[in-house]
């Protein structure tokens, strides 16, 4: 019943990050088992410390939640990769597109691509340098 860290999203991450740990569902409990079910938590910790993970009572089957979460995560990852690819494939300035207010700049890029690339790099470095100096002045 955790409303802060949804079990479907976070249980698989905990299971993967802590392979030697014992996982048990705590019924009628939200995000803070030490406050909501202190006796159940204390008993589980004591059993784990005394006899190991197999001694902790309760339901430890997280296979279904891991399967569902992994399927959802893979679908989200695939969608995110597609969106990122589309974004990265969109040119900021397409020199082959004629006209518009940036036509002189586009003509320069078409005629001198190497020089235009160096100029863009210098401009980007200058921008980030000025930005960093501004942040240092404001923050520090």
């Amino acid at each position: 019943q955790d409303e802060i860290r949804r079990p479907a999203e976070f249980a698989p991450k905990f299971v993967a990050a802590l392979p030697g740990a014992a996982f048990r569902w705590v019924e009628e409990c939200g995000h803070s088992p030490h406050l909501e079910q202190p006796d159940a938590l204390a008993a589980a910790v004591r059993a784990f410390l005394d006899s190991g993970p197999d001694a902790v009572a309760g339901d430890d089957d997280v296979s279904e939640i891991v399967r569902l979460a992994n399927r959802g995560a893979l679908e989200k990852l695939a969608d995110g990769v597609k969106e990122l690819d589309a974004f990265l494939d969109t040119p900021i300035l397409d020199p082959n597109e004629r006209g518009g207010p940036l036509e002189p700049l586009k003509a320069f890029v078409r005629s001198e691509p190497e020089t235009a690339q160096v100029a863009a790099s210098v401009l980007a470095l200058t921008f980030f340098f000025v930005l960093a100096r501004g942040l240092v002045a404001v923050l520090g």
Side-chain angles (χ1 to χ4, degrees):
Q1 298 167 339
D2 193 336
E3 297 293 323
I4 296 171
R5 299 277 186 212
R6 302 273 182 210
E9 183 179 348
F10 286 95
K13 294 177 183 178
F14 290 133
V15 170
L18 305 167
F23 180 88
R24 298 295 184 271
W25 291 106
V26 179
E27 295 298 327
E28 302 299 320
C29 189
H31 186 70
S32 304
H34 61 288
L35 298 174
E36 299 171 47
Q37 295 289 342
D39 293 338
L41 180 63
V45 170
R46 176 51 45 204
F48 182 86
L49 293 175
D50 288 345
S51 305
D54 293 334
V56 180
D59 184 7
D60 66 348
D61 183 16
V62 293
S63 59
E64 181 65 11
I65 200 168
V66 169
R67 185 186 68 73
L68 291 172
N70 285 340
R71 186 186 70 203
L74 291 176
E75 290 170 357
K76 288 178 188 174
L77 178 62
D79 291 344
V81 168
K82 288 176 188 173
E83 288 178 28
L84 180 60
D85 282 346
F87 174 73
L88 293 175
D89 287 342
T90 303
I92 295 171
L93 176 68
D94 186 357
N96 296 320
E97 188 177 292
R98 306 288 183 184
L102 298 177
E103 181 54 37
L105 179 60
K106 293 176 189 179
F108 170 67
V109 171
R110 283 191 299 271
S111 65
E112 300 288 336
E114 293 85 11
T115 306
Q117 188 173 19
V118 170
S121 297
V122 169
L123 182 64
L125 288 172
T126 303
F127 169 78
F128 286 115
F129 177 76
V130 170
L131 179 65
R133 296 281 297 208
L135 287 174
V136 167
V138 168
L139 299 176

